[in-house]
Amino acid sequence: MSRLIGTLFGIMSATLFGLGGILSQPLLDSHTLTPQQIVLLRLLIGGILLLLYRNLFFKQARKNTKKIWTHWKVVTRIAIYGIAGLCTAQIAFFSSISFSNAAVATVFQSTSPFILLVLTALKSKRIPGPLAGLSLISALMGIGLIVESGLKTGSIKPEAIVFGLIAAIGVILYTDLPVPLLKQFAAIDVLGWALVIGGATALLGTPLPNLSNFSKIQLLVIAIIVVLSTVVAYDLYLESLKLIDGFLTTMTGLFEPISSVFLGILFLHQALVPKILLGILLVIGAIILLNLPSRTPASIPTKIHPCAMTRDHSRIS
């Protein structure tokens, strides 16, 4: 039963992350908010809400939440995690959306395991195994179809590719940076403070949006992005990590690009040309291949969200 609940939590989390990208697209297309402003609201408010939740409902953990600030090395690593990882990756991701659409940007971001696979192979001077090699070929073919068709039809601008790949590199950073911290502190504390620091960083050089000028619908959309697609999504994600293994975590994570495609078609009436849709399917298939239990172990991220970790590291005390 716990495995089923963990799987459902993972699917719900990924779907909510996908929903956040879809809901942000009209705000970006209409220039209501810039990518930096969305990241500012999402990370800063989301981090504050996570820490409030942590301290209100887990009173015994208040000392642990504050304890983080007594170690300068810990604070420095969390700051790097929040700035170089979360803030950079999120701004790049939403910038990629602004130059293409949420589905395509999510797929670009999802290429992080393949970038790390290539880097690992170059560093170790070892050719990836047959299954990993096949998944890499599938991913490259998928990205090639998306880029070729998108540039040809004008639905994707070159900037979308650049920012999408920066987002993928950011994913690698925010997957790796918190790991040592998670051995000492609860995941929700590390993530909460990293979100706050990342959001505060996005505030630099970015004017605060005047929310009083927004319509009720726009305010509702922003609230959903911050509360459901950030706070609730991250909480469900962390809970799922305690109940399921890395393979299932990756499989449930595929619901983010899948939900981005279907929610975009449903709510934004996006018409993805056949080549782009085929490219998305090839990338999703490549991720499945790369994470089959029988593959040769490799140091690749098992999920494309902050605090990707093993089940032992995900315990919230």
Side-chain angles (χ1 to χ4, degrees), residues 26-59:
L27 297 173
L28 292 167
D29 290 344
S30 63
H31 303 290
T32 303
L33 289 173
T34 65
Q36 290 89 340
Q37 288 173 328
I38 290 181
V39 172
L40 185 160
L41 293 172
R42 190 184 185 204
L43 268 59
L44 188 58
I45 298 176
I48 291 172
L49 290 177
L50 266 178
L51 292 174
L52 285 175
Y53 163 77
R54 167 75 161 158
N55 284 273
L56 289 175
F57 293 97
F58 301 91
K59 294 182 179 180

Side-chain angles (χ1 to χ4, degrees), residues 3 6 12-13 21 26 28 35 63 69 71 74 90 127 142 159 181 195 204 226 233 238 277 284-285 290 292 312:
R3 186 179 173 88
M12 290 167 63
S13 170
L28 292 167
K63 289 183 179 180
W69 292 92
H71 305 279
V74 172
Q90 289 291 299
I127 299 175
E159 293 90 338
L181 300 172
L195 286 171
L204 299 176
V226 172
L238 293 174
L277 188 56
I284 291 173
L290 191 61
L292 287 176
D312 291 337

Side-chain angles (χ1 to χ4, degrees), residues 39-265:
V39 172
L40 185 160
L41 293 172
R42 190 184 185 204
L43 268 59
L44 188 58
I45 298 176
I48 291 172
L49 290 177
L50 266 178
L51 292 174
L52 285 175
Y53 163 77
R54 167 75 161 158
N55 284 273
L56 289 175
F57 293 97
F58 301 91
K59 294 182 179 180
Q60 73 279 8
R62 289 178 181 176
K63 289 183 179 180
N64 293 330
T65 304
K66 297 176 182 178
K67 188 179 177 181
I68 285 178
W69 292 92
T70 62
H71 305 279
W72 69 269
K73 288 185 178 180
V74 172
V75 175
T76 301
R77 193 172 187 91
I78 289 179
I80 295 172
Y81 168 42
I83 297 169
L86 296 178
C87 183
T88 301
Q90 289 291 299
I91 290 177
F93 173 66
F94 287 109
S95 296
S96 183
I97 290 178
S98 68
F99 288 110
S100 57
N101 58 61
V104 170
T106 302
V107 170
F108 282 138
Q109 182 182 251
S110 301
T111 61
S112 59
F114 304 102
I115 294 175
L116 193 50
L117 176 65
V118 172
L119 293 176
T120 302
L122 291 174
K123 184 178 180 180
S124 63
K125 297 180 181 179
R126 293 176 59 186
I127 299 175
L131 206 56
L134 183 61
S135 70
L136 183 59
I137 292 172
S138 177
L140 290 173
M141 288 176 61
I143 293 297
L145 283 173
I146 293 171
V147 171
E148 186 268 335
S149 181
L151 292 177
K152 189 175 182 179
T153 60
S155 60
I156 297 175
K157 295 181 180 179
E159 293 90 338
I161 303 168
V162 175
F163 282 118
L165 294 177
I166 292 174
I169 294 171
V171 167
I172 296 173
L173 290 176
Y174 71 53
T175 298
D176 180 65
L177 286 172
V179 172
L181 300 172
L182 297 170
K183 296 177 182 178
Q184 306 174 55
F185 303 98
I188 197 169
D189 289 336
V190 173
L191 179 61
W193 285 119
L195 286 171
V196 169
I197 293 172
T201 303
L203 183 60
L204 299 176
T206 303
L208 278 169
N210 188 356
L211 298 180
S212 63
N213 294 331
F214 286 36
S215 68
K216 291 181 179 179
I217 295 295
Q218 289 173 329
L219 289 174
L220 176 62
V221 168
I222 292 172
I224 292 173
I225 292 173
V226 172
V227 178
L228 288 182
S229 296
T230 303
V231 178
V232 175
Y234 280 132
D235 188 51
L236 286 171
Y237 170 62
L238 293 174
E239 290 299 321
S240 73
L241 286 174
K242 294 190 291 184
L243 302 172
I244 59 178
D245 55 33
F247 173 68
L248 262 182
T249 300
T250 302
M251 293 304 100
T252 59
L254 290 176
F255 276 81
E256 182 175 0
I258 292 172
S259 65
S260 292
V261 171
F262 285 103
L263 291 174
I265 293 172

